[in-house]
Amino acid sequence: MATFGLMEYDDAGPEVRAVYDDIRAVRQTDTINNFWKALAHDPATLRRTWESIKQIMAPGALDTLTKEMIYVAVSTTNQCGYCIASHTVSAQKAGMTPEMFAELMAVVGMANETNRLATGYQVEIDERFRTH
Amino acid sequence: MATFGLMEYDDAGPEVRAVYDDIRAVRQTDTINNFWKALAHDPATLRRTWESIKQIMAPGALDTLTKEMIYVAVSTTNQCGYCIASHTVSAQKAGMTPEMFAELMAVVGMANETNRLATGYQVEIDERFRTH
Amino acid sequence: MATFGLMEYDDAGPEVRAVYDDIRAVRQTDTINNFWKALAHDPATLRRTWESIKQIMAPGALDTLTKEMIYVAVSTTNQCGYCIASHTVSAQKAGMTPEMFAELMAVVGMANETNRLATGYQVEIDERFRTH
Amino acid sequence: MATFGLMEYDDAGPEVRAVYDDIRAVRQTDTINNFWKALAHDPATLRRTWESIKQIMAPGALDTLTKEMIYVAVSTTNQCGYCIASHTVSAQKAGMTPEMFAELMAVVGMANETNRLATGYQVEIDERFRTH
Amino acid sequence: MATFGLMEYDDAGPEVRAVYDDIRAVRQTDTINNFWKALAHDPATLRRTWESIKQIMAPGALDTLTKEMIYVAVSTTNQCGYCIASHTVSAQKAGMTPEMFAELMAVVGMANETNRLATGYQVEIDERFRTH
Amino acid sequence: MATFGLMEYDDAGPEVRAVYDDIRAVRQTDTINNFWKALAHDPATLRRTWESIKQIMAPGALDTLTKEMIYVAVSTTNQCGYCIASHTVSAQKAGMTPEMFAELMAVVGMANETNRLATGYQVEIDERFRTH
């Protein structure tokens, strides 16, 4: 189904293998998601995307669980079936319980609703929201 | 700018005033956001929306700060200017530091990018992501 | 603000004037919306868009009011400020009362919410929904 | 496929069963859509969503058919496969003929087109559209 | 799966057949995509859509390959599975190499990311971008 | 308006100044867009975003003009006012004529329309589109 197919480790050149090795090391797992295997046909994008993900998803002021839940929120808003499936599992691995998931979905649904009400009613931004 | 204008407390009927009073009590503030004042022209929607928000945004398995950051994530993805302005302030009031905001935005940006890469490359969902 | 400015009737060539004349005749008004004036810099697109709008928005199995409300629903979902402003006025001219507007917005908000819940929960399509 | 599976009546607790009973009574049917069965894993969201839908979709200034068509319009704009399948059937049950569907789709398509033309050409909102 | 099924040439009336004939002549192929076969249940929309596509996608200031890649970019941004599949093939037929596809996807991903960063950070439009 | 304001060169630390210097060198201009000045409050994101943009937007299998037009196409689809303003100017600097812009917009509008028609009619993907 993937446009150029999925590139397995055995068929990959050294640049792609290096990324696969790093993914395995950082994520402490042998599996490489289909997403990376599809992207591998463009090694430059594979590497840049993985480096960005590594940087962005590392725990910082926000922990990994929070970051994964934000990822699910965006993917759901965008209706991306692959990403919802993938990041729901990642969030669960990071500690997301069914109760957390339920609340996350409730907020995502409500936000998508009020975003449209605010714009549909052409509400002007309150002056006190302007910080600069 | 709002389609039917903004309804101030003094011009509101009892049903709307009741909601304004509750917003003030729950949020511990005198201010009523323009969003509610615009929605007040449909008291049924005002009441239902406020009751839902009260329920959904109350701390639970996820705390209020996390919920507000999810709200910012969705509003940013949907490009809703009003909601970004409003919920950025709410999240800051709930404890979001500039570092947290920066990481939140980085995740939102990255998720919007990889959502498109996954779909553009027509990546099939990994079997192990299917839980049911 | 418009990328190439707004083309007024007096500055327009015959192809654009013909479209402006038709808009005025069909809509029974002297005013030409900024949308058409901006599009006029590409006469082919102006003509094709106007001809499509004329065809699509004419009353048929659905009346004009219903069609304008659908237009508002889509524009709100897409967060298009210009189109919300423009079509809210068109819908009001076609007979949309404040009560209708309120119900329209409530449906639009709810649909945007349940669209995400359905996808976020990865709900499979019921077999009995498949008609072909 | 649903993240936590689909909860059947027999496996449900009293809170969920109460909602299923109400859905059956209001919709005059025995069937419970997969959407509700997936949501049932969060009884609070199931109940709140059903109560909102009941309120919002009841005939008022707009009849049920119009409301269902608006739902299809939003779901199509958002590319939600489940909701398009589900609400197309609901709209047909409410009286949507193939001619109505065709016109609905034509408007949805055109609105999604002109939304982008208006924004792409950076068209400023006409002063006479500003009502407040 | 298509709401009213797919209309084959043999089952089509003269208006639809005329469009199918024209598609075959213009595209130099015998095949009619499922998209047209689904749309054929509304001959007016089928004809109008085909006439628009013919006009818009013909080589002009932009060549066909560039236009097809823009089509893929929009379809990916909107997460339209059918259109991504269809226009990826069209673009390849117009000369899109795997390297071009990879760069196209990289731009689409990045644009979707920076769109959100710009809006999330509430960046005001630089004065020098205003041309009118 | 920007959430944390716009950081000018004189107020920036060495990490941000290094990025500003590089932008000026690569783009052969003294101006730093508001986008970068807003992002500068998170130097890590500023640097990562600039490095990605440099890589992705460099001419390759696709030239810079084509890439900038794809950027406008995505930004228009997403309704991002800042990005439309910014990249329209970038595309013009890269050689986009008014005729090219007109054709670009026509394709973007049409693609947004047919994306919804394909999904609204629930069209199944043609078998011959599946490459893997």
Side-chain angles (χ1 to χ4, degrees), chain D residues 72-120:
Chain D
V72 171
V74 172
S75 306
T76 300
T77 300
N78 284 329
Q79 305 264 341
C80 179
Y82 182 90
C83 302
I84 290 165
S86 165
H87 286 277
T88 297
V89 168
S90 301
Q92 290 170 330
K93 284 187 174 163
M96 181 177 72
T97 63
E99 292 75 26
M100 289 178 182
F101 175 81
E103 293 185 11
L104 166 64
M105 280 293 127
V107 176
V108 170
M110 201 66 206
N112 272 281
E113 171 174 353
T114 60
N115 280 181
R116 279 28 180 254
L117 293 176
T119 305

Side-chain angles (χ1 to χ4, degrees), chain D residues 115-127:
Chain D
N115 280 181
R116 279 28 180 254
L117 293 176
T119 305
Y121 274 86
Q122 303 184 85
V123 189
E124 55 261 58
I125 297 176
D126 307 53
E127 272 311 307

